[in-house]
Amino acid sequence: TMKRSRDNESGQALVEFALVAPVLFLILFAIIQFGIAFKNSVALTDAVRAGARKAAVSRTAADPTAAATNAVLGAATDLDKSTLSNGLTVDPGANGWVAGGSVTVSAQYPYQVNILGIVVASGYLHSTTTERIE
């Protein structure tokens, strides 16, 4: 009788795994999607900082706004540049490109957390950096 009882429980682990596996995979996919959104956020922040630094040292350039914009787009290697350029602004403030003034570079980038075809979060990632113009 002992052997018979053991035979009846032989598929128990498989059934338990079949019940738990969907939840585990859902959590795994959620972690991956949020990781991608976080990676994009870090890339956006890094690109905006690079653009603000370029703007701060490009006051005497022919077109400092274009130099800053190109620096942002050049630093955003992991982001879609056409999407990023739509939400990108370079603002030297009311005083313009004068030494000692400040320039603000801002950008936004869309994100979407999609788990098994269901969008659970979406919107825009934002980043702004202000630097002193040299």
Side-chain angles (χ1 to χ4, degrees):
T1 60
M2 197 64 148
K3 185 175 193 240
R4 183 179 216 184
S5 176
R6 184 179 279 169
D7 288 342
N8 290 341
E9 295 177 4
S10 63
Q12 179 181 355
L14 186 62
V15 171
E16 288 175 357
F17 179 74
L19 292 173
V20 174
V23 175
L24 290 176
F25 287 123
L26 185 68
I27 291 170
L28 176 68
F29 293 142
I31 289 170
I32 291 169
Q33 287 291 309
F34 279 106
I36 291 169
F38 183 72
K39 176 192 69 85
N40 287 345
S41 175
V42 170
L44 178 66
T45 300
D46 182 54
V48 168
R49 285 182 183 161
R53 183 66 192 142
K54 184 65 173 181
V57 299
S58 297
R59 164 177 70 88
T60 58
D63 189 354
T65 301
T69 300
N70 290 336
V72 171
L73 296 176
T77 55
D78 292 341
L79 303 177
D80 179 21
K81 294 184 183 27
S82 62
T83 304
L84 177 59
S85 63
N86 292 337
L88 178 60
T89 61
V90 178
D91 181 16
N95 295 332
W97 294 97
V98 295
S102 60
V103 59
T104 301
V105 178
S106 298
Q108 64 181 11
Y109 193 76
Y111 76 92
Q112 186 175 32
V113 177
N114 181 351
I115 301 172
L116 300 176
I118 300 169
V119 177
V120 295
S122 65
Y124 285 90
L125 303 168
H126 299 274
S127 184
T128 301
T129 301
T130 301
E131 291 261 348
R132 182 179 167 274
I133 300 173
E134 297 178 6

